[in-house]
């Protein structure tokens, strides 16, 4: 009997002084890609750093004519042969990186034609893919944050209407998924043709942790 009384007193004290309620909810938004992206690099190798730089600069000037491409930051480093006891200088390697964005494959026809002329330069490129504009991603993230904040009050109101508890929002923690997920395309640049990759949706996620004071 004493144990039952003690339990009831403890339970009454708990509800009298209130308690904290923690919940978690995930919000996401799916965006359709609105442009294609192609990243690539060009490498040049010559006996001297000056020759390497000159060859690389010619390539950069040609690619800069394309308004859809940006980048052109480059580096030049010596290449050595360490197989023998004496270090042997083999030459200098220079590499420039580029990123091109466009909506139609036809927009890079001139770039593909230029690729066909490459003889002294090595071309490396990532798969062509559809991406979402960074500004649209930023807008979507802001929208998710508003949804998460609005949900905090809606959940407290639901608890009240269902006569479960009377709660007030104490803290909201929003964790944005820094990785924007998309389906990578297994298509490489063809020098004679450029196939259009399939559009895959991009998902942006925010994880919300809520802390309520309830009684």
């Amino acid at each position: 009997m004493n144990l039952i009384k003690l339990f009831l007193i403890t339970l009454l004290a708990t509800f009298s002084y209130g308690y904290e309620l923690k919940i978690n909810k995930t919000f996401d938004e799916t965006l359709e890609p609105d442009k294609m992206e192609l990243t690539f690099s060009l490498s040049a190798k010559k006996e001297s750093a000056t020759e390497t730089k000159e060859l690389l600069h010619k390539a950069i000037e040609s690619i800069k004519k394309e308004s859809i491409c940006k980048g052109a930051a480059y580096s030049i480093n010596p290449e050595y042969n360490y197989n023998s006891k004496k270090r042997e200088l083999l030459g200098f390697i220079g590499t420039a990186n580029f990123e091109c964005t466009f909506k139609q494959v036809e927009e890079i026809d001139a770039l593909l034609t230029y690729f066909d002329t490459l003889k002294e330069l090595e071309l490396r490129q990532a798969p062509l893919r559809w991406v979402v504009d960074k500004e649209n991603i930023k807008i979507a993230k802001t929208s998710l944050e508003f949804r998460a904040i609005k949900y905090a009050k809606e959940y407290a109101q639901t608890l009240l209407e269902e006569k479960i508890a009377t709660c007030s929002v104490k803290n909201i923690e929003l964790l944005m998924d820094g990785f924007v997920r998309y389906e990578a395309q297994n298509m490489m640049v063809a020098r004679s043709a450029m196939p259009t990759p399939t559009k895959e949706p991009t998902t942006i996620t925010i994880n919300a942790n809520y802390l309520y004071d309830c009684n």
Side-chain angles (χ1 to χ4, degrees):
M1 187 66 177
N2 290 335
L3 290 176
I4 295 176
K5 286 183 178 180
L6 180 61
F7 172 75
L8 291 175
I9 292 172
T10 303
L11 184 63
L12 180 61
T14 299
F15 281 97
S16 297
Y17 289 100
Y19 58 95
E20 289 186 342
L21 174 65
K22 296 180 180 179
I23 67 167
N24 172 273
K25 185 173 177 61
T26 299
F27 302 86
D28 58 59
E29 185 169 342
T30 300
L31 302 176
E32 285 296 323
D34 47 24
K35 62 182 180 180
M36 281 177 276
E37 180 181 87
L38 172 66
T39 57
F40 66 93
S41 66
L42 294 176
S43 296
K45 179 181 177 181
K46 288 292 183 179
E47 291 185 359
S48 70
T50 300
E51 290 177 303
T52 301
K53 183 178 179 180
E54 290 177 353
L55 183 58
L56 211 52
H57 273 200
K58 289 181 181 179
I60 292 173
E61 289 176 3
S62 297
I63 295 174
K64 275 189 172 181
K65 295 177 182 178
E66 303 297 324
S67 59
I68 59 174
C69 298
K70 62 181 181 180
Y74 70 91
S75 61
I76 296 178
N77 298 291
E79 182 183 27
Y80 295 99
N81 177 15
Y82 292 96
N83 292 331
S84 60
K85 294 182 180 180
K86 183 179 179 181
R87 187 176 70 172
E88 178 186 3
L89 178 63
L90 299 178
F92 290 83
I93 298 178
T95 302
N97 300 303
F98 302 89
E99 179 183 293
C100 306
T101 55
F102 45 94
K103 294 182 180 295
Q104 301 293 332
V105 173
E106 291 75 16
E107 295 181 56
I108 57 171
D109 282 346
L111 185 62
L112 294 180
T113 300
Y114 173 71
F115 285 167
D116 287 333
T117 67
L118 297 179
K119 294 181 180 180
E120 297 183 277
L121 294 168
E122 180 182 1
L123 169 67
R124 294 177 180 272
Q125 75 280 323
L128 176 64
R129 68 184 187 184
W130 280 99
V131 296
V132 178
D133 186 80
K134 292 180 180 179
E135 185 61 29
N136 291 337
I137 292 177
K138 183 179 179 181
I139 293 173
K141 287 182 177 180
T142 301
S143 175
L144 287 176
E145 290 174 351
F146 286 157
R147 283 174 54 191
I149 294 172
K150 183 179 179 181
Y151 179 82
K153 292 185 178 180
E154 292 176 347
Y155 186 77
Q157 184 63 29
T158 299
L159 293 176
L160 180 63
E161 292 175 355
E162 296 294 330
K163 298 181 180 180
I164 297 174
T166 300
C167 301
S168 60
V169 182
K170 183 177 182 180
N171 185 58
I172 303 175
E173 181 183 29
L174 302 180
L175 303 175
M176 183 67 67
D177 188 348
F179 178 67
V180 179
R181 295 181 295 279
Y182 61 88
E183 195 68 26
Q185 305 299 322
N186 296 319
M187 295 185 180
M188 301 299 287
V189 174
R191 294 196 178 189
S192 59
M194 175 68 73
T196 303
T198 303
K199 280 188 176 183
E200 297 290 346
T202 296
T203 303
I204 301 174
T205 303
I206 188 171
N207 190 45
N209 296 315
Y210 302 95
L211 180 62
Y212 294 88
D213 279 331
C214 302
N215 53 55

